[in-house]
Structures are given as structure tokens and as C-alpha cells.
Amino acid sequence: MNEKFWLVLQYPLKSVKGNQRDEWLKNKVMEYLNISLSDAELGYVDGFDMGKCVSDPYKYVLNIFCVITDEQRSIALIKRVLREHRLDYTRIKIATMPFEDGETYTLKYTYKKGVTDFSL
């Protein structure tokens, strides 16, 4: 059996509930990722949350959670899907952690050089 991982795709927001564009973005990203991950047999979208960032209550984020089986292939696929469909690829962070017994997410990709921290 393949090892599973949690993957979170994070977008920054300007307000706690986001705006109409953020809602549209969430729906489109979840739709395209669910189709692409499923077609590639790499996993599925498990849900989302929107709101305050845990590490900084003055920052707001949209987190989209996925369950995946291959970190490198899944991250590459997600980046390609977001770029091809113009879904704000230049604003994302991607982090993963083991599905079983995972305690903290490890940042795997960020849109901005020099960023090393990640928090939900």
C-alpha cells in the first residue's frame, strides 16, 4: 500500500471570509484538483477552511486540504494545474505531513523566495 500524506494548498486572503473572487477561486481549485488528482490516481481533495492564520491572527488564509500518495508527483501536478488554469499560482504555499502520526506540516513550495515558515 502506498504511504499517504496530507497536503495543504494555502492562499493569502485580505479578510476573514474572503470576497466573491476568493469563493470562486476556492470552488475552481477544489474542482480542478479533485479531477486531476483522481485521474492521476494520486489522491483527492478532502475539504477546506477559510479564516485567521493560526500563527498570526492579523493574517487570513484559505487552506485546501488533500490526501495524496506521492508527494513529488502530486505537488508537480498541482502546480501545473494551477498554472494552466490561471488559478493564482503566484500566491500559493504548499505543505505536507504524514497522514498517520503527522504533527506538523513541512513547507514544500512557496511563491516567494526566502519564505521558510508555514502555519495553518
Side-chain angles (χ1 to χ4, degrees), residues 9 11 23-35 45 62 64 78 81-82 87-88 92:
L9 171 63
Y11 286 96
E23 187 68 27
W24 174 87
L25 180 66
K26 170 192 64 92
N27 292 334
K28 286 298 177 188
V29 169
M30 289 176 64
E31 175 187 346
Y32 285 121
L33 289 188
N34 218 14
I35 291 167
V45 175
L62 163 62
I64 297 175
I78 288 168
V81 167
L82 297 179
L87 296 170
D88 289 357
I92 63 170

Side-chain angles (χ1 to χ4, degrees), residues 13-20 22-23 50-52 60-61:
L13 299 176
K14 292 184 180 177
S15 66
V16 75
K17 293 188 181 194
N19 57 30
Q20 189 175 10
D22 296 328
E23 187 68 27
M50 283 177 130
K52 292 182 179 181
Y60 309 104
V61 293

Side-chain angles (χ1 to χ4, degrees), residues 3 15 33 37 41 66-67 78 90 92-93 95 98 102 108:
E3 187 177 1
S15 66
L33 289 188
L37 288 170
E41 298 181 355
C66 303
V67 176
I78 288 168
T90 59
I92 63 170
K93 287 184 182 179
K108 299 292 182 169

Side-chain angles (χ1 to χ4, degrees), residues 69-108:
T69 56
D70 183 323
E71 278 183 303
Q72 288 183 334
R73 286 182 54 217
S74 296
I75 291 169
L77 174 71
I78 288 168
K79 287 166 47 178
R80 189 183 82 236
V81 167
L82 297 179
R83 190 172 40 250
E84 286 176 0
H85 295 283
R86 297 181 181 189
L87 296 170
D88 289 357
Y89 170 76
T90 59
R91 297 179 28 197
I92 63 170
K93 287 184 182 179
I94 299 174
T96 63
M97 78 173 168
F99 190 78
E100 299 290 328
D101 303 321
E103 293 186 15
T104 58
Y105 281 97
T106 302
L107 185 64
K108 299 292 182 169

